Amino acid sequence: MARYTGPSCKLCRREGKKLFLKGDRCLTDKCAVVRRSTVPGQHGAGRKTVKEYGLQFREKQTAKRYYGVQEKQFKKYYVKADKQEGIAGENLLSLVERRYDNVVYRMGLAASRKEARQLIRHGHFTLNGKKADIPSIIVRVGDVIALKEKSRSSEKFKILAEQMAAVIAPKWLDVDVAAMSAKVTAIPQRDDIDFPFEEQLIIELYSK
């Protein structure tokens, strides 16, 4: 499976905004966007005129990197979203928001989506009581994601369990802190996604 293995902070600098790829570090003065706001590379500090295509491309890259999705998979989400009823841009965001790894992150059981993917692949979570170690699964209304019983004794999850109670979960997730589980109660709407995406730019890019 293809995945990005380079420095996460470089991605944030390239997009010029915090993508929250490294958990709590992104909230401190150590954040790369705070320390070095220029684009990576020899000519990063130079001013460039961004045209319409550039704006659309950068917005697509921002969404891909925010959710940790590669181009081929993201394009598939667009094709699926475009066939659904409603606004294509909102459908697209709803799909990626319902990725299994994003749900684990939203539950507060991972510091970042990247960590959530790693924990899922290592088999720490179940989906509807069954083993599920594929981070790209799109969860549906009624699905229950839970931490495995045998994983709860690890020091890492003991710490995360304490932090979980302070996490404000989206309203489409019913989180049970005591059981360390969450149930998908609704399809996420545009208002449930707090990152300032301009999803119409993404749709315009793919529609060309």
Short mmCIF file of all heavy atoms in Angstrom, two decimals, residues 95-156:
data_model
loop_
_atom_site.label_atom_id
_atom_site.label_comp_id
_atom_site.label_asym_id
_atom_site.label_seq_id
_atom_site.Cartn_x
_atom_site.Cartn_y
_atom_site.Cartn_z
N LEU A 95 -17.67 11.43 2.96
CA LEU A 95 -17.06 10.12 2.75
C LEU A 95 -15.73 9.99 3.47
O LEU A 95 -15.50 9.02 4.20
CB LEU A 95 -16.86 9.87 1.25
CG LEU A 95 -18.07 9.42 0.44
CD1 LEU A 95 -17.75 9.42 -1.05
CD2 LEU A 95 -18.51 8.01 0.87
N VAL A 96 -14.85 10.96 3.28
CA VAL A 96 -13.53 10.86 3.92
C VAL A 96 -13.63 11.03 5.43
O VAL A 96 -12.82 10.47 6.18
CB VAL A 96 -12.53 11.88 3.32
CG1 VAL A 96 -12.15 11.50 1.91
CG2 VAL A 96 -13.08 13.30 3.35
N GLU A 97 -14.63 11.76 5.88
CA GLU A 97 -14.83 11.92 7.32
C GLU A 97 -15.25 10.61 7.96
O GLU A 97 -14.96 10.34 9.14
CB GLU A 97 -15.89 12.99 7.58
CG GLU A 97 -16.06 13.39 9.03
CD GLU A 97 -14.90 14.19 9.60
OE1 GLU A 97 -14.04 14.65 8.82
OE2 GLU A 97 -14.86 14.38 10.84
N ARG A 98 -15.89 9.74 7.19
CA ARG A 98 -16.36 8.45 7.72
C ARG A 98 -15.35 7.33 7.54
O ARG A 98 -15.67 6.16 7.76
CB ARG A 98 -17.69 8.07 7.06
CG ARG A 98 -18.86 8.85 7.59
CD ARG A 98 -20.17 8.32 7.07
NE ARG A 98 -20.38 8.63 5.66
CZ ARG A 98 -20.71 7.73 4.73
NH1 ARG A 98 -20.82 6.45 5.07
NH2 ARG A 98 -20.89 8.09 3.49
N ARG A 99 -14.12 7.68 7.15
CA ARG A 99 -13.08 6.65 7.11
C ARG A 99 -12.83 6.11 8.51
O ARG A 99 -12.89 6.84 9.51
CB ARG A 99 -11.79 7.24 6.54
CG ARG A 99 -11.73 7.32 5.03
CD ARG A 99 -10.46 8.02 4.59
NE ARG A 99 -9.25 7.39 5.13
CZ ARG A 99 -8.48 6.53 4.45
NH1 ARG A 99 -8.79 6.21 3.21
NH2 ARG A 99 -7.40 6.02 5.00
N TYR A 100 -12.56 4.85 8.58
CA TYR A 100 -12.33 4.15 9.85
C TYR A 100 -11.24 4.82 10.68
O TYR A 100 -11.40 5.05 11.88
CB TYR A 100 -11.96 2.71 9.50
CG TYR A 100 -11.84 1.73 10.63
CD1 TYR A 100 -12.38 1.95 11.89
CD2 TYR A 100 -11.19 0.50 10.41
CE1 TYR A 100 -12.27 1.01 12.89
CE2 TYR A 100 -11.07 -0.45 11.41
CZ TYR A 100 -11.61 -0.19 12.64
OH TYR A 100 -11.50 -1.12 13.64
N ASP A 101 -10.12 5.18 10.03
CA ASP A 101 -9.03 5.81 10.78
C ASP A 101 -9.42 7.18 11.31
O ASP A 101 -9.03 7.56 12.42
CB ASP A 101 -7.75 5.90 9.92
CG ASP A 101 -7.98 6.56 8.58
OD1 ASP A 101 -9.12 6.97 8.28
OD2 ASP A 101 -7.00 6.67 7.81
N ASN A 102 -10.23 7.92 10.55
CA ASN A 102 -10.67 9.23 11.02
C ASN A 102 -11.61 9.10 12.22
O ASN A 102 -11.56 9.92 13.14
CB ASN A 102 -11.37 9.99 9.89
CG ASN A 102 -11.77 11.39 10.31
OD1 ASN A 102 -10.94 12.27 10.52
ND2 ASN A 102 -13.06 11.61 10.45
N VAL A 103 -12.45 8.07 12.20
CA VAL A 103 -13.37 7.85 13.33
C VAL A 103 -12.60 7.57 14.61
O VAL A 103 -12.91 8.12 15.67
CB VAL A 103 -14.35 6.71 13.01
CG1 VAL A 103 -15.22 6.40 14.24
CG2 VAL A 103 -15.24 7.07 11.83
N VAL A 104 -11.58 6.71 14.52
CA VAL A 104 -10.76 6.42 15.70
C VAL A 104 -10.10 7.69 16.22
O VAL A 104 -10.04 7.94 17.43
CB VAL A 104 -9.69 5.35 15.35
CG1 VAL A 104 -8.67 5.22 16.48
CG2 VAL A 104 -10.36 4.00 15.09
N TYR A 105 -9.63 8.51 15.30
CA TYR A 105 -9.02 9.79 15.69
C TYR A 105 -10.06 10.70 16.35
O TYR A 105 -9.78 11.33 17.38
CB TYR A 105 -8.42 10.46 14.46
CG TYR A 105 -8.02 11.90 14.66
CD1 TYR A 105 -6.93 12.22 15.47
CD2 TYR A 105 -8.73 12.93 14.06
CE1 TYR A 105 -6.56 13.55 15.67
CE2 TYR A 105 -8.36 14.25 14.25
CZ TYR A 105 -7.28 14.56 15.05
OH TYR A 105 -6.92 15.87 15.24
N ARG A 106 -11.24 10.79 15.76
CA ARG A 106 -12.30 11.64 16.31
C ARG A 106 -12.76 11.16 17.68
O ARG A 106 -13.22 11.94 18.51
CB ARG A 106 -13.50 11.66 15.35
CG ARG A 106 -13.25 12.33 14.00
CD ARG A 106 -13.01 13.80 14.14
NE ARG A 106 -13.09 14.48 12.85
CZ ARG A 106 -12.71 15.73 12.65
NH1 ARG A 106 -12.21 16.44 13.65
NH2 ARG A 106 -12.81 16.29 11.46
N MET A 107 -12.64 9.87 17.93
CA MET A 107 -13.01 9.32 19.24
C MET A 107 -12.05 9.78 20.33
O MET A 107 -12.40 9.75 21.51
CB MET A 107 -13.01 7.79 19.19
CG MET A 107 -14.13 7.17 18.40
SD MET A 107 -13.85 5.38 18.13
CE MET A 107 -13.86 4.77 19.82
N GLY A 108 -10.85 10.17 19.94
CA GLY A 108 -9.84 10.58 20.91
C GLY A 108 -8.91 9.46 21.29
O GLY A 108 -8.14 9.58 22.25
N LEU A 109 -8.91 8.35 20.52
CA LEU A 109 -8.06 7.21 20.84
C LEU A 109 -6.80 7.17 19.99
O LEU A 109 -6.15 6.13 19.86
CB LEU A 109 -8.85 5.91 20.68
CG LEU A 109 -9.84 5.64 21.82
CD1 LEU A 109 -10.65 4.40 21.55
CD2 LEU A 109 -9.12 5.52 23.15
N ALA A 110 -6.46 8.30 19.39
CA ALA A 110 -5.20 8.45 18.64
C ALA A 110 -4.88 9.93 18.58
O ALA A 110 -5.78 10.78 18.50
CB ALA A 110 -5.32 7.87 17.24
N ALA A 111 -3.60 10.25 18.65
CA ALA A 111 -3.19 11.65 18.64
C ALA A 111 -3.27 12.27 17.25
O ALA A 111 -3.33 13.49 17.11
CB ALA A 111 -1.76 11.78 19.17
N SER A 112 -3.28 11.43 16.22
CA SER A 112 -3.36 11.90 14.84
C SER A 112 -3.97 10.80 13.98
O SER A 112 -4.08 9.65 14.41
CB SER A 112 -1.96 12.26 14.32
OG SER A 112 -1.15 11.10 14.24
N ARG A 113 -4.34 11.14 12.77
CA ARG A 113 -4.89 10.12 11.87
C ARG A 113 -3.82 9.11 11.49
O ARG A 113 -4.12 7.94 11.27
CB ARG A 113 -5.48 10.79 10.63
CG ARG A 113 -6.74 11.61 10.93
CD ARG A 113 -7.25 12.36 9.72
NE ARG A 113 -8.42 13.16 10.07
CZ ARG A 113 -8.36 14.36 10.64
NH1 ARG A 113 -7.18 14.91 10.90
NH2 ARG A 113 -9.47 15.02 10.93
N LYS A 114 -2.60 9.57 11.38
CA LYS A 114 -1.50 8.66 11.06
C LYS A 114 -1.34 7.62 12.16
O LYS A 114 -1.17 6.42 11.89
CB LYS A 114 -0.20 9.45 10.90
CG LYS A 114 1.00 8.60 10.50
CD LYS A 114 2.24 9.48 10.29
CE LYS A 114 3.44 8.65 9.87
NZ LYS A 114 4.65 9.50 9.66
N GLU A 115 -1.42 8.05 13.40
CA GLU A 115 -1.33 7.10 14.52
C GLU A 115 -2.54 6.18 14.53
O GLU A 115 -2.41 4.98 14.81
CB GLU A 115 -1.24 7.85 15.84
CG GLU A 115 -1.05 6.92 17.04
CD GLU A 115 -0.94 7.67 18.35
OE1 GLU A 115 -1.86 8.45 18.69
OE2 GLU A 115 0.06 7.48 19.04
N ALA A 116 -3.71 6.72 14.21
CA ALA A 116 -4.92 5.90 14.16
C ALA A 116 -4.78 4.77 13.15
O ALA A 116 -5.16 3.63 13.41
CB ALA A 116 -6.13 6.77 13.82
N ARG A 117 -4.21 5.09 11.97
CA ARG A 117 -4.00 4.05 10.95
C ARG A 117 -3.07 2.96 11.46
O ARG A 117 -3.30 1.77 11.23
CB ARG A 117 -3.43 4.69 9.68
CG ARG A 117 -4.45 5.45 8.87
CD ARG A 117 -3.91 5.84 7.50
NE ARG A 117 -2.88 6.86 7.59
CZ ARG A 117 -3.11 8.15 7.67
NH1 ARG A 117 -4.35 8.60 7.72
NH2 ARG A 117 -2.13 9.03 7.72
N GLN A 118 -2.03 3.36 12.16
CA GLN A 118 -1.07 2.39 12.69
C GLN A 118 -1.73 1.48 13.71
O GLN A 118 -1.54 0.25 13.70
CB GLN A 118 0.11 3.12 13.31
CG GLN A 118 1.22 2.20 13.78
CD GLN A 118 2.36 2.96 14.43
OE1 GLN A 118 2.15 3.84 15.26
NE2 GLN A 118 3.58 2.65 14.03
N LEU A 119 -2.52 2.07 14.60
CA LEU A 119 -3.18 1.28 15.64
C LEU A 119 -4.20 0.31 15.05
O LEU A 119 -4.36 -0.81 15.51
CB LEU A 119 -3.86 2.22 16.65
CG LEU A 119 -2.92 3.11 17.47
CD1 LEU A 119 -3.73 4.08 18.33
CD2 LEU A 119 -2.00 2.27 18.34
N ILE A 120 -4.90 0.77 14.01
CA ILE A 120 -5.88 -0.09 13.34
C ILE A 120 -5.18 -1.27 12.67
O ILE A 120 -5.61 -2.42 12.78
CB ILE A 120 -6.69 0.72 12.31
CG1 ILE A 120 -7.65 1.68 13.03
CG2 ILE A 120 -7.48 -0.22 11.38
CD1 ILE A 120 -8.33 2.67 12.11
N ARG A 121 -4.09 -0.99 11.97
CA ARG A 121 -3.36 -2.07 11.28
C ARG A 121 -2.79 -3.08 12.27
O ARG A 121 -2.62 -4.25 11.93
CB ARG A 121 -2.23 -1.47 10.44
CG ARG A 121 -2.70 -0.70 9.22
CD ARG A 121 -1.58 -0.45 8.25
NE ARG A 121 -2.00 0.41 7.15
CZ ARG A 121 -1.70 1.69 7.04
NH1 ARG A 121 -0.97 2.29 7.96
NH2 ARG A 121 -2.11 2.40 6.00
N HIS A 122 -2.49 -2.63 13.49
CA HIS A 122 -1.95 -3.54 14.50
C HIS A 122 -3.07 -4.32 15.21
O HIS A 122 -2.78 -5.10 16.13
CB HIS A 122 -1.14 -2.76 15.52
CG HIS A 122 0.17 -2.26 14.97
ND1 HIS A 122 1.04 -1.48 15.69
CD2 HIS A 122 0.76 -2.43 13.76
CE1 HIS A 122 2.11 -1.20 14.96
NE2 HIS A 122 1.95 -1.77 13.77
N GLY A 123 -4.31 -4.10 14.79
CA GLY A 123 -5.41 -4.91 15.29
C GLY A 123 -5.94 -4.53 16.66
O GLY A 123 -6.48 -5.39 17.37
N HIS A 124 -5.84 -3.26 17.05
CA HIS A 124 -6.30 -2.85 18.38
C HIS A 124 -7.80 -2.56 18.44
O HIS A 124 -8.35 -2.40 19.54
CB HIS A 124 -5.53 -1.61 18.84
CG HIS A 124 -4.11 -1.87 19.18
ND1 HIS A 124 -3.71 -2.60 20.28
CD2 HIS A 124 -2.96 -1.52 18.56
CE1 HIS A 124 -2.40 -2.67 20.34
NE2 HIS A 124 -1.91 -2.03 19.29
N PHE A 125 -8.47 -2.48 17.28
CA PHE A 125 -9.88 -2.10 17.28
C PHE A 125 -10.75 -3.14 16.58
O PHE A 125 -10.27 -3.91 15.74
CB PHE A 125 -10.06 -0.74 16.58
CG PHE A 125 -9.42 0.40 17.32
CD1 PHE A 125 -8.11 0.79 17.02
CD2 PHE A 125 -10.10 1.09 18.31
CE1 PHE A 125 -7.51 1.83 17.70
CE2 PHE A 125 -9.51 2.13 18.99
CZ PHE A 125 -8.21 2.50 18.70
N THR A 126 -12.03 -3.11 16.94
CA THR A 126 -13.01 -3.97 16.27
C THR A 126 -14.10 -3.09 15.65
O THR A 126 -14.36 -1.99 16.12
CB THR A 126 -13.67 -4.95 17.26
OG1 THR A 126 -14.37 -4.20 18.27
CG2 THR A 126 -12.64 -5.85 17.90
N LEU A 127 -14.71 -3.62 14.61
CA LEU A 127 -15.83 -2.95 13.96
C LEU A 127 -17.02 -3.89 14.04
O LEU A 127 -16.99 -4.99 13.48
CB LEU A 127 -15.49 -2.62 12.50
CG LEU A 127 -16.56 -1.92 11.66
CD1 LEU A 127 -16.91 -0.57 12.27
CD2 LEU A 127 -16.10 -1.75 10.22
N ASN A 128 -18.03 -3.47 14.78
CA ASN A 128 -19.22 -4.31 15.02
C ASN A 128 -18.84 -5.66 15.63
O ASN A 128 -19.39 -6.70 15.28
CB ASN A 128 -20.00 -4.52 13.72
CG ASN A 128 -20.52 -3.21 13.14
OD1 ASN A 128 -20.91 -2.31 13.89
ND2 ASN A 128 -20.54 -3.10 11.83
N GLY A 129 -17.84 -5.61 16.53
CA GLY A 129 -17.44 -6.80 17.26
C GLY A 129 -16.51 -7.73 16.51
O GLY A 129 -16.14 -8.78 17.03
N LYS A 130 -16.13 -7.37 15.29
CA LYS A 130 -15.28 -8.24 14.49
C LYS A 130 -13.94 -7.55 14.18
O LYS A 130 -13.85 -6.32 14.18
CB LYS A 130 -15.97 -8.60 13.18
CG LYS A 130 -17.27 -9.37 13.36
CD LYS A 130 -17.91 -9.69 12.03
CE LYS A 130 -19.21 -10.44 12.21
NZ LYS A 130 -19.86 -10.73 10.89
N LYS A 131 -12.94 -8.36 13.91
CA LYS A 131 -11.63 -7.82 13.57
C LYS A 131 -11.73 -6.97 12.31
O LYS A 131 -12.33 -7.37 11.31
CB LYS A 131 -10.65 -8.97 13.33
CG LYS A 131 -9.27 -8.52 12.88
CD LYS A 131 -8.37 -9.71 12.59
CE LYS A 131 -7.01 -9.24 12.08
NZ LYS A 131 -6.11 -10.37 11.78
N ALA A 132 -11.12 -5.79 12.34
CA ALA A 132 -11.11 -4.89 11.19
C ALA A 132 -9.81 -4.10 11.23
O ALA A 132 -9.63 -3.25 12.11
CB ALA A 132 -12.32 -3.96 11.22
N ASP A 133 -8.90 -4.41 10.32
CA ASP A 133 -7.59 -3.76 10.34
C ASP A 133 -7.28 -3.01 9.04
O ASP A 133 -6.13 -2.85 8.66
CB ASP A 133 -6.49 -4.78 10.63
CG ASP A 133 -6.49 -5.93 9.64
OD1 ASP A 133 -7.28 -5.90 8.67
OD2 ASP A 133 -5.70 -6.89 9.84
N ILE A 134 -8.35 -2.55 8.37
CA ILE A 134 -8.19 -1.77 7.14
C ILE A 134 -8.63 -0.34 7.41
O ILE A 134 -9.83 -0.07 7.56
CB ILE A 134 -9.02 -2.37 5.99
CG1 ILE A 134 -8.61 -3.83 5.75
CG2 ILE A 134 -8.85 -1.54 4.71
CD1 ILE A 134 -9.46 -4.56 4.73
N PRO A 135 -7.71 0.62 7.49
CA PRO A 135 -8.04 2.00 7.87
C PRO A 135 -8.99 2.72 6.92
O PRO A 135 -9.68 3.65 7.32
CB PRO A 135 -6.67 2.70 7.88
CG PRO A 135 -5.68 1.59 8.06
CD PRO A 135 -6.26 0.42 7.34
N SER A 136 -9.07 2.27 5.66
CA SER A 136 -9.86 2.98 4.66
C SER A 136 -11.34 2.58 4.63
O SER A 136 -12.10 3.11 3.82
CB SER A 136 -9.26 2.78 3.27
OG SER A 136 -9.25 1.40 2.93
N ILE A 137 -11.75 1.67 5.50
CA ILE A 137 -13.16 1.27 5.54
C ILE A 137 -14.03 2.50 5.77
O ILE A 137 -13.72 3.34 6.63
CB ILE A 137 -13.41 0.24 6.66
CG1 ILE A 137 -12.71 -1.09 6.32
CG2 ILE A 137 -14.90 0.00 6.88
CD1 ILE A 137 -12.76 -2.10 7.46
N ILE A 138 -15.12 2.61 5.01
CA ILE A 138 -16.08 3.69 5.23
C ILE A 138 -17.18 3.17 6.15
O ILE A 138 -17.92 2.25 5.79
CB ILE A 138 -16.71 4.17 3.89
CG1 ILE A 138 -15.62 4.64 2.92
CG2 ILE A 138 -17.70 5.30 4.16
CD1 ILE A 138 -14.84 5.84 3.38
N VAL A 139 -17.25 3.74 7.34
CA VAL A 139 -18.25 3.26 8.31
C VAL A 139 -19.64 3.75 7.92
O VAL A 139 -19.79 4.75 7.22
CB VAL A 139 -17.90 3.72 9.74
CG1 VAL A 139 -16.55 3.18 10.17
CG2 VAL A 139 -17.94 5.24 9.86
N ARG A 140 -20.64 3.02 8.40
CA ARG A 140 -22.03 3.35 8.09
C ARG A 140 -22.80 3.63 9.38
O ARG A 140 -22.34 3.30 10.47
CB ARG A 140 -22.68 2.20 7.33
CG ARG A 140 -22.04 1.93 5.97
CD ARG A 140 -22.63 0.70 5.31
NE ARG A 140 -22.31 -0.52 6.04
CZ ARG A 140 -22.70 -1.74 5.66
NH1 ARG A 140 -23.42 -1.89 4.59
NH2 ARG A 140 -22.36 -2.79 6.38
N VAL A 141 -23.96 4.22 9.23
CA VAL A 141 -24.81 4.50 10.39
C VAL A 141 -25.15 3.19 11.09
O VAL A 141 -25.55 2.21 10.45
CB VAL A 141 -26.11 5.23 9.97
CG1 VAL A 141 -27.03 5.39 11.17
CG2 VAL A 141 -25.78 6.58 9.36
N GLY A 142 -24.94 3.15 12.39
CA GLY A 142 -25.19 1.95 13.18
C GLY A 142 -23.94 1.17 13.51
O GLY A 142 -23.97 0.30 14.40
N ASP A 143 -22.84 1.44 12.81
CA ASP A 143 -21.59 0.74 13.08
C ASP A 143 -21.03 1.12 14.45
O ASP A 143 -21.15 2.28 14.88
CB ASP A 143 -20.55 1.05 12.01
CG ASP A 143 -20.80 0.31 10.71
OD1 ASP A 143 -21.66 -0.60 10.71
OD2 ASP A 143 -20.14 0.63 9.70
N VAL A 144 -20.41 0.16 15.11
CA VAL A 144 -19.80 0.39 16.43
C VAL A 144 -18.31 0.08 16.35
O VAL A 144 -17.92 -1.02 15.96
CB VAL A 144 -20.46 -0.48 17.52
CG1 VAL A 144 -19.75 -0.27 18.86
CG2 VAL A 144 -21.94 -0.14 17.64
N ILE A 145 -17.51 1.06 16.71
CA ILE A 145 -16.05 0.91 16.73
C ILE A 145 -15.63 0.85 18.19
O ILE A 145 -16.03 1.70 19.00
CB ILE A 145 -15.35 2.10 16.04
CG1 ILE A 145 -15.75 2.15 14.56
CG2 ILE A 145 -13.84 1.98 16.16
CD1 ILE A 145 -17.00 2.98 14.29
N ALA A 146 -14.82 -0.14 18.54
CA ALA A 146 -14.43 -0.30 19.94
C ALA A 146 -12.99 -0.77 20.06
O ALA A 146 -12.46 -1.45 19.18
CB ALA A 146 -15.35 -1.30 20.63
N LEU A 147 -12.37 -0.38 21.16
CA LEU A 147 -11.02 -0.84 21.46
C LEU A 147 -11.10 -2.27 21.98
O LEU A 147 -11.98 -2.59 22.80
CB LEU A 147 -10.38 0.05 22.53
CG LEU A 147 -8.96 -0.30 22.97
CD1 LEU A 147 -7.98 -0.07 21.82
CD2 LEU A 147 -8.56 0.53 24.18
N LYS A 148 -10.22 -3.13 21.51
CA LYS A 148 -10.22 -4.52 21.96
C LYS A 148 -9.96 -4.60 23.46
O LYS A 148 -9.18 -3.83 24.01
CB LYS A 148 -9.15 -5.32 21.21
CG LYS A 148 -9.58 -5.78 19.83
CD LYS A 148 -8.54 -6.71 19.23
CE LYS A 148 -8.99 -7.27 17.90
NZ LYS A 148 -7.97 -8.16 17.31
N GLU A 149 -10.59 -5.56 24.08
CA GLU A 149 -10.46 -5.73 25.53
C GLU A 149 -9.01 -5.92 25.95
O GLU A 149 -8.54 -5.31 26.92
CB GLU A 149 -11.29 -6.93 25.96
CG GLU A 149 -11.41 -7.10 27.47
CD GLU A 149 -12.23 -6.00 28.13
OE1 GLU A 149 -13.20 -5.54 27.51
OE2 GLU A 149 -11.86 -5.60 29.26
N LYS A 150 -8.26 -6.74 25.22
CA LYS A 150 -6.88 -7.04 25.62
C LYS A 150 -5.94 -5.85 25.40
O LYS A 150 -4.83 -5.83 25.94
CB LYS A 150 -6.36 -8.26 24.88
CG LYS A 150 -6.24 -8.09 23.37
CD LYS A 150 -5.70 -9.37 22.75
CE LYS A 150 -5.52 -9.24 21.24
NZ LYS A 150 -5.00 -10.48 20.63
N SER A 151 -6.38 -4.86 24.61
CA SER A 151 -5.52 -3.69 24.36
C SER A 151 -5.64 -2.65 25.46
O SER A 151 -4.80 -1.76 25.57
CB SER A 151 -5.89 -3.05 23.02
OG SER A 151 -5.66 -3.94 21.95
N ARG A 152 -6.68 -2.76 26.26
CA ARG A 152 -6.94 -1.73 27.28
C ARG A 152 -5.90 -1.72 28.40
O ARG A 152 -5.76 -0.73 29.11
CB ARG A 152 -8.33 -1.93 27.88
CG ARG A 152 -9.44 -1.80 26.85
CD ARG A 152 -10.81 -1.89 27.49
NE ARG A 152 -11.85 -1.94 26.48
CZ ARG A 152 -13.15 -1.90 26.75
NH1 ARG A 152 -13.56 -1.82 28.01
NH2 ARG A 152 -14.02 -1.97 25.77
N SER A 153 -5.20 -2.82 28.56
CA SER A 153 -4.22 -2.90 29.65
C SER A 153 -2.89 -2.23 29.31
O SER A 153 -2.05 -2.04 30.19
CB SER A 153 -3.98 -4.36 30.03
OG SER A 153 -3.48 -5.09 28.91
N SER A 154 -2.68 -1.88 28.04
CA SER A 154 -1.41 -1.26 27.65
C SER A 154 -1.33 0.16 28.19
O SER A 154 -2.34 0.86 28.33
CB SER A 154 -1.28 -1.25 26.12
OG SER A 154 -2.15 -0.30 25.56
N GLU A 155 -0.12 0.60 28.49
CA GLU A 155 0.08 1.93 29.06
C GLU A 155 -0.39 3.03 28.11
O GLU A 155 -0.92 4.04 28.54
CB GLU A 155 1.56 2.14 29.41
CG GLU A 155 2.02 1.38 30.63
CD GLU A 155 1.25 1.78 31.89
OE1 GLU A 155 1.00 2.99 32.08
OE2 GLU A 155 0.87 0.89 32.66
N LYS A 156 -0.19 2.81 26.83
CA LYS A 156 -0.57 3.83 25.85
C LYS A 156 -2.07 4.10 25.90
O LYS A 156 -2.50 5.25 25.93
CB LYS A 156 -0.19 3.37 24.44
CG LYS A 156 -0.57 4.39 23.37
CD LYS A 156 -0.08 3.98 22.02
CE LYS A 156 -0.39 5.05 20.99
NZ LYS A 156 0.21 6.36 21.33
#
